[in-house]
Amino acid sequence: MRRPTARLALAAFAALALVVTAIAVQLGVSRPATAAAGQTTAVNGGPETFTQALPTGGASQYTTPLERCHTSPSYPLSGRNPILDEPLTRSFTSNVPLSVSVRADSTTGYGLRELVFTNRSSKPIHLDCGVLVFLAPSGSDQHHYGASQPFGHPQQDFVEVKRGDGTSYYIARLGFHDVALPQRGIDPGHTWVYKLGGPGQGAVSLETTRDSIRFTADLTVSSNTDLVKKYGTTRYAN
């Protein structure tokens, strides 16, 4: 009487093993498609040497040049954004000596795309009021600044300009407030990162994003106001 019961138990165990094996195979097949990471090589941009005027004033002294970008109005445009009529940048450009690579934790679905800049000069670069322009997947729901050294209170003037093909131009003017001058820049050999999170990471390659980047540092304490007015940025908080 015990043999049929044992046979049934053995059959059930074998069937369960087949189900587990099938699930494992499916997981193994799908895993690379849902979390494909990547990183480009680094490329250089900008001159080998540069001259940059530095702002005077102290942290939280809002009428001084140091705090010139601590606040800003939004600049809404009434018509077509002019960046849509400009040729796509196909080689990283900058007015200060930087290198840049682009990395992502996904190159297909939702992911975080990071623009990683390195100061390749022999002196600090002041980043406050610098303007960043680049091409990336449309629909970013997060965008923020980071660095390999201490920094404080970054904010930005920002706009996304959709091209209608799943890609967008992004324009951001970096801004800091209530911190000393050294926390608004990047020292030689250190890196700063602009992070952009959103869906549809397959809409544009990491290399295309890298080669589309334009960075304009504020070299004359003029705040790059002409650029944010031109592209119609909106002021974002910290």
Side-chain angles (χ1 to χ4, degrees):
M1 296 294 292
R2 292 180 180 177
R3 289 181 179 177
T5 302
R7 289 173 181 171
L8 288 173
L10 182 61
F13 179 80
L16 179 61
L18 288 173
V19 171
V20 171
T21 300
I23 292 174
V25 169
Q26 291 175 0
L27 289 174
V29 169
S30 63
R31 188 177 298 113
T34 57
Q39 182 166 6
T40 71
T41 57
V43 295
N44 291 340
E48 294 303 313
T49 61
F50 72 105
T51 300
Q52 184 173 36
L54 296 178
T56 58
S60 304
Q61 296 177 357
Y62 299 122
T63 60
T64 65
L66 180 66
E67 295 285 6
R68 67 199 183 283
C69 285
H70 89 284
T71 186
S72 172
S74 297
Y75 296 103
L77 299 179
S78 59
R80 179 180 172 87
N81 197 296
I83 199 169
L84 294 173
D85 299 316
E86 297 174 5
L88 175 65
T89 299
R90 299 189 182 279
S91 179
F92 168 50
T93 64
S94 172
N95 63 348
V96 289
L98 296 170
S99 65
V100 67
S101 65
V102 177
R103 65 190 180 204
D105 58 9
S106 173
T107 54
T108 54
Y110 186 95
L112 189 66
R113 187 169 293 218
E114 299 182 345
L115 284 55
V116 185
F117 299 87
T118 301
N119 179 356
R120 58 184 184 84
S121 77
S122 59
K123 58 184 180 180
I125 295 174
H126 183 62
L127 298 177
D128 204 5
C129 305
V131 174
L132 183 61
V133 181
F134 62 95
L135 184 73
S138 296
S140 170
D141 56 12
Q142 57 174 313
H143 32 89
H144 52 276
Y145 171 91
S148 64
Q149 65 186 72
F151 62 92
H153 299 297
Q155 54 195 25
Q156 58 189 303
D157 301 283
F158 175 89
V159 66
E160 175 187 357
V161 184
K162 294 185 177 181
R163 302 173 73 210
D165 60 355
T167 69
S168 293
Y169 288 111
Y170 292 90
I171 301 101
R173 181 175 69 172
L174 304 176
F176 300 82
H177 65 93
D178 300 315
V179 294
L181 182 67
Q183 294 188 45
R184 303 169 187 243
I186 200 75
D187 289 333
H190 279 270
T191 61
W192 62 278
V193 183
Y194 192 80
K195 303 178 182 182
L196 193 81
Q201 292 298 313
V204 57
S205 71
L206 302 182
E207 288 78 11
T208 298
T209 292
R210 179 197 64 190
D211 296 340
S212 72
I213 296 170
R214 288 185 273 158
F215 180 70
T216 306
D218 182 9
L219 300 180
T220 60
V221 197
S222 63
S223 306
N224 278 322
T225 303
D226 56 335
L227 288 177
V228 292
K229 282 185 174 181
K230 176 182 178 181
Y231 294 126
T233 59
T234 298
R235 166 45 59 112
Y236 278 71
N238 295 358

